[in-house]
Amino acid sequence: MPETEHNSVYRQKKIVEILKMLHNGGSFDEAKRVFDSTFSSVDVSEITSAERELIGSGLNPMEIQRLCNVHAAVFKGSINPGSGDSVEEVPGHPVAVIKLENTVITSLLDDELLPVLKKWQQSSNDDTPAPRDQEYLRRMKTALNDLRTIDKHYLRKENLLFPIMDRYGITAPPKVMWGVDDDIRSWIKDAIRLVNAEPTPPKYDIEAAIEKARKDIEEMIFKEEQILLPMVAEVFTPDDWALIQSESDDIGYTLISEPLPWQPSERDYAEAAKRKPSKMAQELNKMAQSMADEQELANKRHLETPAPTDDEPLIPDDLKAKADDPAAIAALPLHLRAEMGQVQADEPAKEDARAQINVNISQPPVEKKPEMPDFVKQMLADEDAKPAHKRRPRITESHLEIGADNHATIVMPTGDLDLSQLTAVFSVLPVDVTFVDAGDIVRWFSDNGDRIFPRTRAVIGRAVVNCHPPKSMGKVQKILDDFRSGAQQHADFWIDLHGTKKVYIRYFAMHDTKGKYLGCLEVSQDITEIQQLGGEKRL
């Protein structure tokens, strides 16, 4: 075979060359010819490594996403997924569940939605549809509503597989796949809107939306089963799969009932122990170690930075001599301006930043900024009128007390709670709360059993920007950077979720008593029923 004459470096260089050819507008047929003349088969690891190399050289992940279907078509039929692990085919194993869902999704497309679409297209175009045509349209609506539940399939992938992939340094594929997942969601949503419109739009428009969704879904199934799953099988441990399985029920499944319970067996651990690290696994672990080393160095530098004492002013030395300089004062973060008694009620930078950010991932950006509800305007006005970091005098600093019976009590300035009481408080709060530390890493989230947005234990320790699709990453990072610099103290958004809920999302910068930045608190609340309240209901 041709590739036996070349070493791994040459193979990798050739794959990168083929991908660059495609990204520079080269002919698909020419790229396919070069590939076929060089390779008879290619490993999953070689493709993903090439895509990572392109991203590392400065290529936008969104560009790779745009052409990832072309990539799959070039390599299709020649991908060697590796030996895999038979234990992953056991009913209830997350891999078996993903493949079962893909089988049912494929059946829904091939055996119901597409045949009915074809029959409906071939029917008459009379202004008054025949009962048979109305039945075809009804069946398409039902099939599309069923297809919309693919969201749960993608949510499990995005909230369970992707965070664990991050731990192993596999960062490029999640960025690419998440963007395509969102594209598929949009096409399905568009098709549902069209089939439910009155009057019914032209048949061609409905066909185009359904066909686009079908094509992208089929390509994603191929990439999941021939690229993603074989790739993670080389690095995921039985404990990783156990975590995925334990968290899956809370998100839900697509078109299948709750799977059989699965837990790793002694055989699973024994098989994993015998697994020899693959070339790709070694590469990914090296990347992960490098990332960990960088994070450890950053944390060390952060810890070595001396914190201000109670006797030390929070004003930087180079500004002490400029206390009467308005421009210098205006450049300070809010908490420093508060120390100098210079906080102003109007903060244009905050409004500018808020206007530039759109975190509504369920709808495309709009040209005109939506009108801010009156209750939000009043809330923000009241909040902005307060001096920054205004606090009541502290009677005591927060601390932990351990009694003679080893009972732990958390002592706070406003009262005491034990661990069970504190846990219960967070379990009944009617809001979703997530804490992101000063290094932008997810450290904790609340769970009252009825979360608005899915959260899983797999996200703990993950960079928060990677918990969002690629199109939102820059906007999320902008918020965090503004919090860290003091340009903003909070950011507020409201979205229509799935057309059924009005969700209010707030991000708050958190500081300790000395003004040191601690991180970000995200608070999300379903305010649909709150908006309907009127009059009074008194005790």
Side-chain angles (χ1 to χ4, degrees), residues 159-231:
N159 290 278
L160 291 170
L161 270 70
F162 287 178
I164 298 176
M165 292 169 72
D166 268 1
R167 296 180 193 171
Y168 293 104
I170 314 174
T171 57
K175 291 178 182 178
V176 172
M177 281 192 167
W178 201 330
V180 178
D181 290 347
D182 279 348
D183 288 344
I184 291 171
R185 291 177 172 112
S186 297
W187 280 110
I188 295 174
K189 182 178 179 180
D190 193 40
I192 290 175
R193 177 184 61 80
L194 290 171
V195 297
N196 285 282
E198 293 290 347
T200 304
K203 292 183 176 181
Y204 174 80
D205 293 344
I206 293 176
E207 176 197 13
I210 292 177
E211 280 296 326
K212 180 59 178 175
R214 175 203 63 79
K215 181 178 181 297
D216 286 356
I217 290 170
E218 289 181 350
E219 292 287 354
M220 180 55 71
I221 289 174
F222 171 79
K223 283 175 280 197
E224 286 179 354
E225 298 192 3
Q226 300 300 322
I227 298 177
L228 176 67
L229 294 179
M231 177 180 9

Side-chain angles (χ1 to χ4, degrees), residues 38-324:
T38 309
F39 304 94
S40 64
S41 66
V42 63
D43 289 339
V44 170
S45 61
E46 294 179 302
I47 301 173
T48 55
S49 293
E51 291 189 339
R52 282 198 302 276
E53 182 176 330
L54 288 175
I55 291 178
S57 67
L59 184 66
N60 191 324
M62 297 297 288
E63 176 65 14
I64 288 185
Q65 173 192 320
R66 186 179 70 83
L67 287 175
C68 61
N69 286 346
V70 180
H71 297 177
V74 170
F75 303 123
K76 195 170 185 177
S78 302
I79 293 180
N80 175 18
S83 58
D85 193 341
S86 60
V87 298
E88 296 160 5
E89 303 301 326
V90 175
H93 190 287
V95 171
V97 172
I98 290 172
K99 290 184 176 181
L100 177 59
E101 285 180 325
N102 282 339
T103 298
V104 178
I105 291 168
T106 299
S107 177
L108 175 64
L109 291 171
D110 294 345
D111 301 330
E112 175 63 9
L113 180 57
L114 298 179
V116 172
L117 171 63
K118 184 176 181 180
K119 292 177 181 178
W120 181 68
Q121 287 176 302
Q122 294 173 345
S123 62
S124 64
N125 290 312
D126 296 339
D127 292 337
T128 304
R132 182 181 59 183
D133 297 335
Q134 293 177 338
E135 175 63 13
Y136 289 152
L137 191 60
R138 184 195 66 78
R139 287 172 61 182
M140 281 196 294
K141 293 177 181 179
T142 300
L144 285 169
N145 283 328
D146 288 341
L147 189 60
R148 181 162 54 182
T149 65
I150 202 171
D151 180 57
K152 296 183 183 297
H153 180 92
Y154 294 153
L155 283 173
R156 293 204 321 279
K157 179 174 62 175
E158 294 156 0
N159 290 278
L160 291 170
L161 270 70
F162 287 178
I164 298 176
M165 292 169 72
D166 268 1
R167 296 180 193 171
Y168 293 104
I170 314 174
T171 57
K175 291 178 182 178
V176 172
M177 281 192 167
W178 201 330
V180 178
D181 290 347
D182 279 348
D183 288 344
I184 291 171
R185 291 177 172 112
S186 297
W187 280 110
I188 295 174
K189 182 178 179 180
D190 193 40
I192 290 175
R193 177 184 61 80
L194 290 171
V195 297
N196 285 282
E198 293 290 347
T200 304
K203 292 183 176 181
Y204 174 80
D205 293 344
I206 293 176
E207 176 197 13
I210 292 177
E211 280 296 326
K212 180 59 178 175
R214 175 203 63 79
K215 181 178 181 297
D216 286 356
I217 290 170
E218 289 181 350
E219 292 287 354
M220 180 55 71
I221 289 174
F222 171 79
K223 283 175 280 197
E224 286 179 354
E225 298 192 3
Q226 300 300 322
I227 298 177
L228 176 67
L229 294 179
M231 177 180 9
V232 299
E234 297 191 39
V235 292
F236 280 17
T237 67
D239 287 335
D240 292 332
W241 291 120
L243 174 61
I244 293 171
Q245 194 279 334
S246 68
E247 299 275 315
S248 292
D249 288 354
D250 290 341
I251 296 177
Y253 303 93
T254 297
L255 303 175
I256 64 171
S257 57
E258 188 173 304
L260 295 172
W262 175 87
Q263 285 293 323
S265 64
E266 292 183 6
R267 172 176 173 265
D268 298 334
Y269 285 108
E271 290 291 330
K274 291 189 297 183
R275 183 196 305 158
K276 294 182 179 180
S278 66
K279 175 185 173 183
M280 181 181 69
Q282 293 172 359
E283 176 191 350
L284 295 176
N285 285 332
K286 183 177 179 181
M287 289 175 57
Q289 186 58 53
S290 175
M291 294 166 61
D293 292 344
E294 290 178 6
Q295 183 63 46
E296 183 179 354
L297 181 60
N299 290 339
K300 183 178 180 181
R301 289 172 178 167
H302 180 72
L303 293 173
E304 289 176 349
T305 302
T309 64
D310 292 336
D311 298 329
E312 293 177 342
L314 293 175
I315 306 170
D317 291 339
D318 60 347
L319 289 176
K320 290 178 181 177
K322 301 180 180 181
D324 297 327

